[in-house]
Amino acid sequence: MSTLVAVLRRAGFYLLALWAAVTVNFVVPRLMPGDPATALVGRLQGKLDAAALEALRTSFGLSDAPWWRQYLDYLGAVARGDLGVSIAFFPAPVTEVVGGALAWTVLLAGTATLLSFVIGSALGVLVAWRRSGRLDAWLPPLLVLLGAFPYFWLAMLAVHVLGFELGWFPVRHAYDASVSPGWTWAFLASAVRHAVLPALTLVVATVGSWTLGMRSVALGVLGEPWLDHAHARGLPPSRIAWAYVARNALLPQLAGFGMALGYVLGGALLTEVVFAWPGTGHLMLQAVRAQDQALLQGLFLAVSVGVIGANALVDGLTAWLDPRVRRAA
Amino acid sequence: MRPVAALALLVAGCGPATSPPPDGTLVIAAEQVPTWVRNFHPYALSHHARWPTRVAIYEPLAIHTPRGDRWEPVLATAWAWEDERTLRLELREGVLWSDGTPFGAADVVGSLELLRDHPGLDRDGLWRVVEGVRARGPFEVEVRLGHPHLPLLGDLLELPIVQPARWRAFDDPVAQANPDPVGTGPFTEVLRFEDQLFELGPNPHAWRPSPVQRLRFPALGSNEQMLLALVQGQVDWSGIYVPAVDRTWDGRDPAHHHHDFPPLGGMVLLVPAAHRAPTDDPRVRKALSLALDRSRVLEVAASGYAELPHPTGLPPVFAGWGEGLPGCDWIDHDPARAGALLDEAGLTRGEDGWRRLPDGTPWTPELEVVAGWSDWVRAARLVVRDLRAVGIDARLRAWDFGAWYDRVPRGLADLAIGWSVVEDDPWSWLGDQLSSRTLEPVGEPASSNWQRVADPEADAALATFASSREPTVRREAFARVHARLCALAPSVPLYPGPSWGEASSRRFVGWPSADDPYARLSPNGLPEPWIVLGHLRPR
């Protein structure tokens, strides 16, 4: 019974968070100065007849209704799954524009985030286990150094050296022009090959923070008295390291991982710009430039839902990993 | 180290990282977009519809190129004014739509009527001038104007022609993506359409078939990616700004890499607020111009690609019109005269060396630019430096585009770097500078004339220019407007903007060049690239 109450309370909390996110999504794009329709024409450095502009404003769904009216309409539309029409990609609906990009972003940023978390955390346990060893002396500083490079520069360097000069990797797009998306070996091989370089740069840039985080938590765990007990009982060191130290140290890391996973849906802006990746980060840049309120709202909504969903997932994962959490709930 | 070995295997096992485009496929990078959205609407705003819509799928009656200020007949073979209000169009016979149906006068009449019934499609406001349109024969159309207005011709001739019945059948022709277009152009068949790439195949019924087999459009979202694709031989034709183009592009393959940056784009202007003191005084505006060292601006801001404005202040496209006209005496670098003019206008230097308003209050104008438009920001820095050198305490203010565009067109900026649109007819450009037609009240956004100058004399001369068919009368009226332009200095020309174009002749030949200047190489001015497309053939 108490579990049910706890789950319901959690669900209520997530619903509240979702409402708050949707409201912020509504407010923020409207704080941008200027009128999206006129800015659209201005950006072309061209001209448009005044009557045509007025007619287009109506088609774009821009309204002069009072804000509360617009807000209620927006809430209703979101509930129906209608995110409006994109101004930058008129007359395509936002769901269509975001949908296509979301798949590519999840593939790239999702995989990279997962890889970075797994590799970084494993390395963190490793260096903590062999603390003050040779590995511990040079690996964490090296990873932090790599992470401290401006990402843009790192990605450009990868494109230039590995892609352009050596020609090992493709430097743009998610698959080769000679194949079309589909469940074929040729396409999948091409997609994997195209993802390697951007994913590599993302992992290199972010792995250090996971390693460092994991290392410091693991060091704390290593000082716990029950570990001496485990050693004394003669458990093999690898089992102690991975099943005891790692499992305990992972808990605080998971919360951060949940957040990172949620932000994946927002896309990796710089990666996508450098590698011409057809993802949501690039789309968001485009939406901001075009003052495309509907598209921005759609993208923010995807990120909000992603963060909230990932948090729910991490909540479940934590409960599974840590019996104390289950009992407390 | 195992992952590294796996990576190496992957690299070694797959051949070249990027496969070259197939023979006969022309690869064009003209739009800077991260992902493609399928839209082939010929009347949409230019970046809503995909680039080939007005270049390869739909065709207009005729196409203008600023190179030599020339018209190329397309669906019309001849056009002439019968009187000041009647335009007669003769259409091309034997043209078929890509669905096999014949093209004729009814299509031209129907396309215009479609615009009349849907104002959202009439981007140039043709129906503000047009009174009626009718077919005189199967290949002859008469357009009747409500009042004499010759500059309409350009907009009318470049209007894409569609199949009216097909468009009338759409629920809302304005909010229509037109995913499967039917046109008269050389490439109408959508062979594939994906997020990052689309391809068009030839129109089976083309009246002017192209030896190019297929057009390919990769989605590239940045200048850097486009340049990289060009250099890698993955793109044949593009229109981006390229820094140090001789080294980064031409120099990599001098035999095949070409660029063409003619000064035939819009004019880059310094826009003063002429509705507000002290820039309401023409002497002050002229002083601003005389203070500028434009050759430095060209060198630093335009990477040496642009040229000095003509002494007449007219964009190079209108050089023919400006022939024989006296230059304006303020398009020059002369700080001493600038200072004298400012003194004369009562803006004398105070004790601290900065010029003050006649009532003694400090004058600290802000020059507003778009943050991130780096060439213009560089130009603005030099402008501010030059103004300060003559004692004007000017400051630079950079805004995000949205904020900037919310201020400058409303006339809220003291000074701004702005653009001007250059079309086929000088009437529109001149009107944007100093006519009451383009004047909006301060606070209301104006599409041009941000300086807010309206001159009755210029209005009268412009009206004559627009309504007379007599060449001598037009020339005389043009000279009168130009004299007012010189007298008032409504805005200060910085430099005529170049139009950017790069192409590779490794796989396709026939590009416009200095030896064969039939059009601009730039793919950016629609629908002009249609002319270029017609000259291309595989090597």
Side-chain angles (χ1 to χ4, degrees), chain B residues 431-506:
Chain B
D432 289 348
Q433 302 305 311
L434 76 177
S435 87
S436 56
R437 172 182 66 87
T438 53
L439 186 73
E440 295 283 345
V442 177
E444 290 292 312
S447 68
S448 56
N449 197 351
W450 299 335
Q451 62 274 14
R452 289 175 160 72
V453 172
D455 179 56
E457 271 184 73
D459 277 347
L462 278 168
T464 312
F465 183 78
S467 59
S468 171
R469 286 187 299 151
E470 215 40 69
T472 47
V473 175
R474 293 200 91 194
R475 219 156 241 298
E476 191 268 333
F478 185 91
R480 260 163 50 220
V481 186
H482 182 254
R484 293 307 294 159
L485 188 81
C486 280
L488 292 174
S491 63
V492 176
L494 282 178
Y495 56 88
S499 31
W500 314 110
E502 301 88 21
S504 164
S505 59
R506 188 164 276 286

Side-chain angles (χ1 to χ4, degrees), chain B residues 90-109:
Chain B
E90 268 175 49
L91 305 183
R92 191 177 294 279
E93 296 183 31
V95 173
L96 294 180
W97 292 95
S98 55
D99 63 1
T101 55
F103 157 85
D107 294 320
V108 176
V109 173

Side-chain angles (χ1 to χ4, degrees), chain A residues 135-211:
Chain A
L135 195 67
D136 190 29
W138 63 263
L139 189 64
L142 177 77
L143 292 179
V144 169
L145 187 73
L146 282 176
F149 277 121
Y151 174 76
F152 200 72
W153 183 84
L154 203 69
M156 291 286 228
L157 192 74
V159 164
H160 187 76
V161 176
L162 298 176
F164 182 64
E165 296 292 344
L166 296 173
W168 289 357
F169 295 100
V171 296
R172 75 181 65 84
H173 287 165
Y175 55 91
D176 194 73
S178 61
V179 293
S180 275
W183 294 109
T184 60
W185 276 117
F187 169 72
L188 291 176
S190 177
V192 168
R193 197 165 180 205
H194 277 71
V196 169
L197 204 53
L200 191 73
T201 59
L202 273 176
V203 170
V204 165
T206 55
V207 75
S209 63
W210 295 121
T211 306

